[in-house]
């Protein structure tokens, strides 16, 4: 979808999110999937913010993929159909893998923004 020019990807690349995610259509849904860099601490406390913005600037979809809790919808935006974060292991170490699936496809010209936030999302913080 990115290569075809239907969507634009704006990842915020940092030391944890070093590679842009894959953005594709699967079964009529929009899927954003990527991985975090190897060598992260065992107990990650942050989340991945994923936002899809229409050409007119309206937020179409929004989600936070939390490391230690369920994926939650961004306030005021339709939520994902599914989201996950898991640990993948190789003989060279482990890394985080995330994905989020939104129902339907956004209109051509939409923007997908992905960024890593090292702080825990309030909905994912443990309850006292």
């Amino acid at each position: 979808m990115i290569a075809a020019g239907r969507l634009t990807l704006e990842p915020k690349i940092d030391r944890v999110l070093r590679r842009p995610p894959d953005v594709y259509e699967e079964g009529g849904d929009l899927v954003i999937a990527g991985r975090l860099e190897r060598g992260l601490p065992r107990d990650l406390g942050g989340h991945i913010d994923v936002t899809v913005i229409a050409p007119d600037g309206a937020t179409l979809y929004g989600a936070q993929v939390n490391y230690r809790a369920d994926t939650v919808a961004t306030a005021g935006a339709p939520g994902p159909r599914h989201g996950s974060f898991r640990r993948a292991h190789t003989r060279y170490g482990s890394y985080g893998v995330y994905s989020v699936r939104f129902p339907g496809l956004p209109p051509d010209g939409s923007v997908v923004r992905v960024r890593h936030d090292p702080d825990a999302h309030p909905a994912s913080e443990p309850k006292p």
Side-chain angles (χ1 to χ4, degrees):
M1 296 185 75
I2 303 296
R6 295 184 54 206
L7 298 177
T8 302
L9 177 63
E10 292 181 357
K12 183 173 183 200
I13 302 299
D14 62 12
R15 84 175 180 80
V16 176
L17 186 70
R18 290 191 181 188
R19 298 187 328 185
D22 294 323
V23 178
Y24 56 94
E25 181 269 335
E26 183 175 84
D29 292 341
L30 176 67
V31 178
I32 296 122
R35 67 182 252 188
L36 304 179
E37 204 50 42
R38 272 188 266 141
L40 295 173
R42 276 192 167 291
D43 48 355
L44 298 168
H47 63 277
I48 301 295
D49 284 322
V50 179
T51 308
V52 181
I53 300 168
D56 66 2
T59 300
L60 297 172
Y61 303 120
Q64 290 85 35
V65 183
N66 296 298
Y67 299 158
R68 291 189 288 180
D70 291 334
T71 297
V72 296
T74 302
R81 180 169 285 166
H82 174 75
S84 70
F85 180 86
R86 66 180 176 82
R87 252 307 167 214
H89 300 280
T90 69
R91 68 183 202 186
Y92 302 109
S94 65
Y95 55 89
V97 177
Y98 65 91
S99 69
V100 63
R101 175 185 292 264
F102 294 110
L105 297 175
D108 288 355
S110 296
V111 177
V112 176
R113 291 187 180 145
V114 179
R115 74 179 187 94
H116 167 258
D117 188 336
D119 296 324
H121 187 268
S124 70
E125 292 176 354
K127 295 179 181 164

